């Protein structure tokens, strides 16, 4: 007992030191969450959200369907049930889920049930994916607020999250890639090809027309 009594001050000092170290070096691991959305071309959604402070990364992929391990060709030809989607990892201490949902709905045409802009078909439809009742309630709340602000019916569904399949590597960070690709505009570096595609598809023009000053990312593209 005497030994334990002698050790108490040292134990107390050690605990205080540990607490101070934790306060000065907060653990970052607890500060990440995931939001999965489908907004047409996943290159564009990835590009938009990686510009948002608080977003750690955005990954292009496929979700919402039945086909396991789908390829880009599988999804775009139809029949898989999958959407082109983006999985957004973010720090909720820097940007809230609600704010990201607000930005998302104002970065697409949520009144279009047949695709997005020049990209038509089921795989290009919009959607918000949720993992629990809290996320579902928030998504529906943000959707209702956006519908009121827009003054038009929003058809973007709120769906239960399913397995997310990461798209092929050449799709990741396509918007800033340096590889040479062959396009209808001729051979171009990925970043330049992406800009030409986005402009030709009319994405920003339509979003600006629909949302005006509230358009999330249209200005500057």
């Amino acid at each position: 007992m005497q030994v334990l009594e002698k050790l108490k001050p040292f134990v107390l000092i050690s605990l205080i030191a540990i607490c101070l170290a934790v306060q000065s070096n907060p653990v970052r691991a607890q500060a990440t969450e995931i939001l999965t959305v489908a907004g047409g071309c996943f290159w564009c959604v990835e590009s938009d959200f990686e510009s948002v402070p608080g977003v750690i990364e955005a990954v292009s992929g496929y979700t919402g369907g039945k086909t396991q391990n789908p390829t880009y060709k599988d999804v775009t030809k139809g029949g898989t049930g999958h959407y082109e989607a983006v999985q957004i990892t973010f720090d909720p201490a820097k940007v809230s889920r609600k704010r990201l949902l607000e930005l998302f709905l104002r970065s697409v045409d949520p009144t279009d049930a047949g695709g997005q802009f020049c990209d038509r078909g089921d795989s290009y439809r919009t959607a918000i994916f949720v993992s629990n009742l809290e996320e579902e309630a928030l998504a529906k709340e943000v959707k209702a607020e956006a519908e009121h602000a827009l003054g038009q019916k929003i058809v973007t569904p709120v769906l239960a999250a399913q397995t997310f399949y990461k798209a092929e590597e050449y799709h990741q960070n396509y918007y800033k890639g340096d590889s040479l690709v062959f396009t209808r505009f001729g051979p171009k570096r990925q970043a330049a090809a992406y800009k030409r595609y986005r402009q030709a598809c009319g994405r920003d023009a339509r979003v600006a027309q629909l949302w005006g000053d509230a358009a999330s990312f249209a200005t500057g593209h």
Side-chain angles (χ1 to χ4, degrees):
M1 290 294 294
Q2 290 182 345
V3 173
L4 290 174
E5 289 297 322
K6 289 180 180 179
L7 285 174
K8 277 184 179 179
F10 296 102
V11 173
L12 182 60
I13 291 170
S14 297
L15 287 173
I16 292 172
I18 290 169
C19 289
L20 289 173
V22 169
Q23 289 177 0
S24 61
N25 297 285
V27 179
R28 183 178 172 79
Q30 55 86 33
T32 61
E33 293 183 18
I34 288 175
L35 169 66
T36 303
V37 294
C41 168
F42 47 26
W43 300 341
C44 299
V45 179
E46 185 182 342
S47 168
D48 287 343
F49 281 90
E50 286 196 339
S51 72
V52 177
V55 168
I56 297 164
E57 78 169 334
V59 175
S60 292
Y62 317 109
T63 194
K66 304 289 186 184
T67 303
Q68 295 184 354
N69 302 307
T71 64
Y72 180 72
K73 185 177 180 180
D74 293 335
V75 173
T76 53
K77 77 179 179 182
T80 65
H82 285 296
Y83 294 73
E84 280 198 15
V86 173
Q87 194 174 72
I88 302 163
T89 302
F90 65 99
D91 181 347
K94 295 181 178 179
V95 62
S96 68
R97 180 179 296 272
K98 181 175 184 179
R99 181 56 181 154
L100 290 176
L101 288 168
E102 290 170 342
L103 290 172
F104 168 67
L105 287 173
R106 290 161 178 79
S107 69
V108 295
D109 180 352
T111 69
D112 187 349
Q116 285 292 284
F117 318 108
C118 68
D119 294 317
R120 314 313 300 164
D122 289 351
S123 64
Y124 292 107
R125 293 171 298 164
T126 61
I128 298 167
F129 298 91
V130 296
S131 299
N132 53 52
L133 291 176
E134 184 179 359
E135 289 183 9
E136 181 182 8
L138 178 62
K140 288 181 176 179
E141 174 191 328
V142 174
K143 177 179 172 180
E145 290 172 352
E147 190 169 83
H148 177 74
L150 186 61
Q152 298 184 49
K153 182 175 177 57
I154 286 178
V155 299
T156 302
V158 176
L159 304 174
Q162 297 186 43
T163 302
F164 180 87
Y165 298 96
K166 185 178 178 181
E168 296 85 342
E169 280 304 316
Y170 71 87
H171 285 300
Q172 309 303 327
N173 296 309
Y174 190 95
Y175 73 97
K176 57 184 177 182
D178 191 48
S179 297
L180 189 65
V181 293
F182 292 91
T183 73
R184 59 187 173 125
F185 309 112
K188 291 188 176 297
R189 297 294 176 184
Q190 280 181 336
Y194 164 74
K195 289 179 180 178
R196 288 294 298 270
Y197 154 76
R198 183 162 181 152
Q199 182 180 31
C201 198
R203 187 182 188 99
D204 296 307
R206 174 56 180 157
V207 172
Q209 178 190 46
L210 194 65
W211 289 101
D213 292 340
S216 301
F217 306 105
T219 301
H221 283 287

